[in-house]
Amino acid sequence: MLTFVGRMPRRLRLSLAAALALGLVAAGLTLVLRDQGGHLAANRAQVKRACGGLLPYDELHDHIPDDARGTLDQYGTLLQPGQESRSLLNCTLEWEGHGGLHVEAASSSTTFPTR
């Protein structure tokens, strides 16, 4: 293989080396810059479905960051309309360096008089 490279004209070797270097720089920039933004669509989708869809998406839409990925931590019973439970809902959605949202709900333990 080295004999083949030795037979290549100097101009062609320089062109191939420059193309290879340019390709490596472009690939490196893509990997570095990929994590610095472009999260807006994923973050908006996450806000729509987080906390069982309870977050006010229309009010939050303009405040969702693009340069950080959202981290969702939720537990509890996320119920369909008409279902009942005494479970706790605890939901936190955060963006590093941008703050976040926290929703916590529990059923009331007060007993109501029967008729």
Side-chain angles (χ1 to χ4, degrees):
M1 179 156 174
L2 290 175
T3 57
F4 176 72
V5 172
R7 289 189 225 164
M8 289 169 78
R10 179 175 167 83
R11 190 177 228 173
L12 181 59
R13 280 187 292 185
L14 288 175
S15 297
L16 289 174
L20 179 63
L22 184 61
L24 289 174
V25 167
L29 284 174
T30 300
L31 291 174
V32 168
L33 296 177
R34 181 174 65 180
D35 225 19
Q36 292 183 356
H39 302 293
L40 188 58
N43 286 344
R44 285 183 174 166
Q46 191 173 39
V47 168
K48 279 186 179 180
R49 67 179 186 272
C51 306
L54 296 174
L55 299 177
Y57 178 78
D58 292 337
E59 294 175 24
L60 299 172
H61 181 269
D62 294 333
H63 304 286
I64 299 171
D66 183 32
D67 59 345
R69 288 185 180 161
T71 304
L72 178 63
D73 180 33
Q74 62 184 4
Y75 63 87
T77 304
L78 303 177
L79 301 173
Q80 297 297 321
Q83 292 180 319
E84 295 181 26
S85 175
R86 294 179 185 216
S87 297
L88 172 74
L89 167 67
N90 191 325
C91 178
T92 303
L93 180 58
E94 295 179 313
W95 297 278
E96 188 174 335
H98 295 280
L101 307 161
H102 182 79
V103 176
E104 190 172 332
S107 62
S108 174
S109 60
T110 306
T111 57
F112 295 100
T114 57
R115 291 184 191 182

